[in-house]
């Protein structure tokens, strides 16, 4: 739904902005092919570990969580490094039009800087599903969309009409998701996994 809303706003800003948006969407998901795998591991193995009430299972869940998050950040940093170092080459591959290339250069810093955070979003999603934190996920999305994404998107659509401004709405939403997930997984659930039955901390 967020990507559809971005597409609508980009379409209103002009065809070159919409074209840049479609390219940005593809590059934005660059880490997903790897981090979806990390998320799947977190969901499947995490569900099995959290089904156990042993102390060793809790410690294993904590270790797995930290390793998956490290893998996610590392993957995101690698993607960011590639985007930073090969900016002009990548843009040349995707955009032959000068106006579209200009639009992409305007949003490139956002695309590059957010790769580690995007990777963490994927990994945290898998861990949240393993912990059965579905109510938490629902509340995070409601607050993020209504309190961050929509206000930023509406402001960008009414006043700025640039791809970078429009995509700032997605940036805000993803940063909110990462921050809230860190609080819930690492600060709330993980201490309980280490000290008591993981089932008691959900």
């Amino acid at each position: 739904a967020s990507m559809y809303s971005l597409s609508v706003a980009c379409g209103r800003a002009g065809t070159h902005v919409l074209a840049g948006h479609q390219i940005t969407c593809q590059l934005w998901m660059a880490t997903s092919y790897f981090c979806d795998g990390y998320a799947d591991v977190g969901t499947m193995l995490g569900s099995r570990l959290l089904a156990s009430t042993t102390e060793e299972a809790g410690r294993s869940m904590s270790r797995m969580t930290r390793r998956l998050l490290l893998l996610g950040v590392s993957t995101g940093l690698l993607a960011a490094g590639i985007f930073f170092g090969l900016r002009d080459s990548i843009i040349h591959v995707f955009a032959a039009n000068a106006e579209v290339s200009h639009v992409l250069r305007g949003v490139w810093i956002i695309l590059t800087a957010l790769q580690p955070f995007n990777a963490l979003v994927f990994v945290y999603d898998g861990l949240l599903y393993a912990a059965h934190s579905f109510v938490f996920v629902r509340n995070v999305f409601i607050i993020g969309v209504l309190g961050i994404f929509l206000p930023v998107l509406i402001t960008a659509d009414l006043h700025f009409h640039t791809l970078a401004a429009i995509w700032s709405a997605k940036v805000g939403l993803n940063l909110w998701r990462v921050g809230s997930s860190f609080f819930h997984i690492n600060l709330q659930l993980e201490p309980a996994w280490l000290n008591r039955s993981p089932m008691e901390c959900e």
Side-chain angles (χ1 to χ4, degrees), residues 180-195:
S180 58
S181 296
F182 171 79
F183 176 79
H184 186 62
I185 292 291
N186 298 101
L187 301 184
Q188 288 188 321
L189 296 186
E190 189 176 359
W193 297 339
L194 293 171
N195 295 314

Side-chain angles (χ1 to χ4, degrees), residues 60-199:
S60 296
M61 182 66 188
S62 177
R63 288 194 298 269
M64 183 197 70
T65 295
R66 296 182 183 190
R67 289 172 181 171
L68 289 176
L69 291 174
L70 179 59
L71 284 170
V73 169
S74 300
T75 302
L77 288 173
L78 176 61
I82 293 172
F83 286 168
F84 180 80
L86 301 177
R87 185 194 69 170
D88 291 338
S89 298
I90 295 172
I91 290 176
H92 180 73
V93 169
F94 282 92
N97 182 282
E99 286 187 331
V100 176
S101 297
H102 178 73
V103 167
L104 288 174
R105 288 188 176 89
V107 79
W108 204 260
I109 187 63
I110 292 176
L111 177 64
T112 301
L114 264 291
Q115 286 305 309
F117 297 96
N118 292 345
L120 284 175
V121 166
F122 288 114
V123 177
Y124 272 125
D125 280 349
L127 296 171
L128 289 168
Y129 296 151
H132 294 173
S133 299
F134 303 119
V135 173
F136 171 81
V137 172
R138 179 201 65 194
N139 293 341
V140 164
F141 266 102
I142 291 174
I143 295 171
V145 170
L146 297 181
I148 300 173
F149 180 81
L150 286 179
V152 174
L153 182 62
I154 291 171
T155 301
D157 182 52
L158 293 177
H159 300 291
F160 296 101
H161 310 294
T162 67
L163 186 60
I166 292 169
W167 268 81
S168 295
K170 184 65 173 175
V171 170
L173 179 60
N174 275 22
L175 291 178
W176 162 249
R177 290 176 64 188
V178 170
S180 58
S181 296
F182 171 79
F183 176 79
H184 186 62
I185 292 291
N186 298 101
L187 301 184
Q188 288 188 321
L189 296 186
E190 189 176 359
W193 297 339
L194 293 171
N195 295 314
R196 285 291 304 273
S197 164
M199 297 300 290

